[in-house]
Amino acid sequence: MIQTPTPASVPTLFQTDLFMPSYQPREGANWFLSVSPLNLGAGYWSGGVLMQNLAVLARKEAEGRSSTWMSLSAREVESQELGCRAAVGDTVVMGLGMGWAAANAALRPEVTRVTVVERDPEVIGLIDEIGIFAQLPPEAAAKISVTEGDALTYTPAAPADTLLADIWMPLNVEGRVAQVQRMAANTGAKRVYFWGQEMDIARRAGELGLEPLDAAGLARIVDEFALPLIGPEMPDYPALVAVAAGKWLREVD
């Protein structure tokens, strides 16, 4: 269930009916996972929210700095939920992250298998050590396999039914559509959802002068992207794109 937007001045406790794993702090050679008891932030669709036990996966950089690659913030959860809620059949998840998307896809009865493609063995080991998938019911956990590989070259033995892709750190990034087209071609996926697709749609709508975005303009852009996207079949999807873009659309990083 997509959370109804609330006024930014009135933060509420973020709640979702999706599975939220329990995380514990961990530190590796290049990555670390931290947990903050209470944080204030903004959702992808919703307004200001409070987050309890916010888990963050960050990569260590030079001179003691770090960069956040994923968190279970309201923005991250809401910006992936459409794909997780719509996954069916043989599902390929590009990018393990914190294991959240794979776990929620596996919980769907309509999903028969979840293959996660992650190129960093340390991330794979970190999520395995924390036991994210062990927190699932056995029948859901049994659907999941994690393979070390490159999202842009991985090709399954048989075409996938669903592709969920999230391999980018910034929400606004150059060349994402072309990369997803490559993943979709390699996997043969019948349905695709990629993180930040609303930003790409909104940016293209602006370039084409299709604002405010309506169903016809959306169909034109989806046809141009040449991807079987999850989301545009929803009657309110143009409005959701506008809400997300109004909050998060920036120049590409």
Side-chain angles (χ1 to χ4, degrees):
M1 179 176 66
I2 295 175
Q3 185 156 313
T4 303
T6 56
S9 59
V10 187
T12 59
L13 185 65
F14 178 69
Q15 296 179 319
T16 177
D17 58 344
L18 292 168
F19 172 65
M20 299 291 278
S22 174
Y23 292 88
Q24 302 84 41
R26 290 289 189 280
E27 184 169 356
N30 300 304
W31 296 86
F32 67 91
L33 194 145
S34 62
V35 180
S36 178
L38 191 65
N39 284 82
L40 177 65
Y44 194 60
W45 324 109
S46 58
V49 291
L50 291 169
M51 297 288 303
Q52 290 182 314
N53 298 319
L54 176 64
V56 176
L57 177 66
R59 183 174 177 86
K60 299 177 183 179
E61 307 291 353
E63 300 178 357
R65 296 190 300 268
S66 63
S67 54
T68 297
W69 274 79
M70 185 180 177
S71 72
L72 281 193
S73 67
R75 189 187 80 158
E76 292 269 2
V77 170
E78 292 179 352
S79 60
Q80 296 188 62
E81 66 177 328
L82 295 186
C84 293
R85 294 181 189 278
V88 297
D90 193 340
T91 297
V92 174
V93 177
M94 297 299 193
L96 175 60
M98 297 167 66
W100 181 84
N104 276 280
L107 283 167
R108 284 180 51 78
E110 298 88 345
V111 170
T112 55
R113 180 168 59 178
V114 177
T115 302
V116 185
V117 181
E118 169 58 52
R119 68 178 181 179
D120 194 312
E122 186 177 327
V123 172
I124 295 173
L126 189 67
I127 297 305
D128 182 61
E129 181 184 345
I130 296 172
I132 300 306
F133 301 141
Q135 298 175 36
L136 295 170
E139 62 274 16
K143 298 178 186 179
I144 302 174
S145 63
V146 180
T147 183
E148 184 180 335
D150 188 332
L152 297 178
T153 59
Y154 174 78
T155 302
D161 296 295
T162 308
L163 169 65
L164 306 179
D166 178 9
I167 62 170
W168 309 275
M169 183 172 67
L171 183 59
N172 295 281
V173 61
E174 186 72 43
R176 180 163 45 195
V177 172
Q179 290 180 332
V180 178
Q181 289 170 338
R182 184 173 172 183
M183 290 183 239
N186 288 342
T187 60
K190 302 177 181 69
R191 308 186 77 205
V192 176
Y193 191 85
F194 65 94
W195 186 62
Q197 68 182 41
E198 291 79 20
M199 301 300 104
D200 288 278
I201 291 170
R203 185 175 293 105
R204 187 58 180 148
E207 293 169 351
L208 295 172
L210 298 176
E211 296 176 318
L213 185 65
D214 59 14
L218 175 62
R220 175 179 172 182
I221 293 169
V222 172
D223 184 65
E224 180 182 300
F225 284 4
L227 289 167
L229 292 181
I230 292 167
E233 73 281 2
M234 301 168 56
D236 62 343
Y237 191 66
L240 288 174
V241 170
V243 169
K247 293 162 64 70
W248 302 108
L249 185 62
R250 306 285 188 272
E251 293 299 319
V252 293
D253 296 316

